[in-house]
Amino acid sequence: MGLAREEEVEIYDQPLFMPGAKVRARKAVKNDGTMPGCEIGEIVVRKGDEGYVRDVGTYLQRFYIYAVEFFDCGRIVGMRGRELIAVDGAVGDISDEQETAA
């Protein structure tokens, strides 16, 4: 008799990153079958790779998905906020906007 784990509905809050924000991958990301031209399980982004958020979308009306363009590997990859960290001085990062507004 297992209970489903409650997960936070992210879209009730503002996105963590806005388009134009410079971000870094917190961990390696493998292809789950949604990346054309790559084998399933192939690493598409390595830990520490940097890129820029191009767009913010949603998944299952619960989660934000950030389309991040990684210039070094030439890919645009959809990532969750927990897989990313802001690079210092990033333009478009919500926390930067809140600090300047205060």
Side-chain angles (χ1 to χ4, degrees), residues 12-60:
Y12 292 158
D13 298 320
Q14 292 291 317
L16 296 174
F17 309 100
M18 296 304 289
K22 187 173 183 181
V23 293
R24 181 179 300 125
R26 295 181 112 165
K27 61 181 184 175
V29 176
K30 295 180 181 180
N31 181 20
D32 61 359
T34 59
M35 193 79 184
C38 298
E39 294 292 323
I40 293 176
E42 180 182 338
I43 294 176
V44 293
V45 174
R46 298 195 183 286
K47 180 179 179 178
D49 283 354
E50 293 183 355
Y52 291 89
V53 176
R54 288 182 53 138
D55 194 21
V56 180
T58 60
Y59 178 67
L60 297 176

Side-chain angles (χ1 to χ4, degrees), residues 30-98:
K30 295 180 181 180
N31 181 20
D32 61 359
T34 59
M35 193 79 184
C38 298
E39 294 292 323
I40 293 176
E42 180 182 338
I43 294 176
V44 293
V45 174
R46 298 195 183 286
K47 180 179 179 178
D49 283 354
E50 293 183 355
Y52 291 89
V53 176
R54 288 182 53 138
D55 194 21
V56 180
T58 60
Y59 178 67
L60 297 176
Q61 298 178 354
R62 296 183 67 175
F63 308 108
Y64 286 113
I65 300 295
Y66 302 91
V68 180
E69 185 166 6
F70 293 95
F71 292 104
D72 290 343
C73 62
R75 293 186 170 127
I76 299 172
V77 180
M79 299 184 71
R80 298 275 309 271
R82 66 180 182 217
E83 297 173 317
L84 300 167
I85 188 166
V87 175
D88 292 340
V91 176
D93 181 12
I94 289 290
S95 61
D96 289 343
E97 291 174 14
Q98 289 173 347

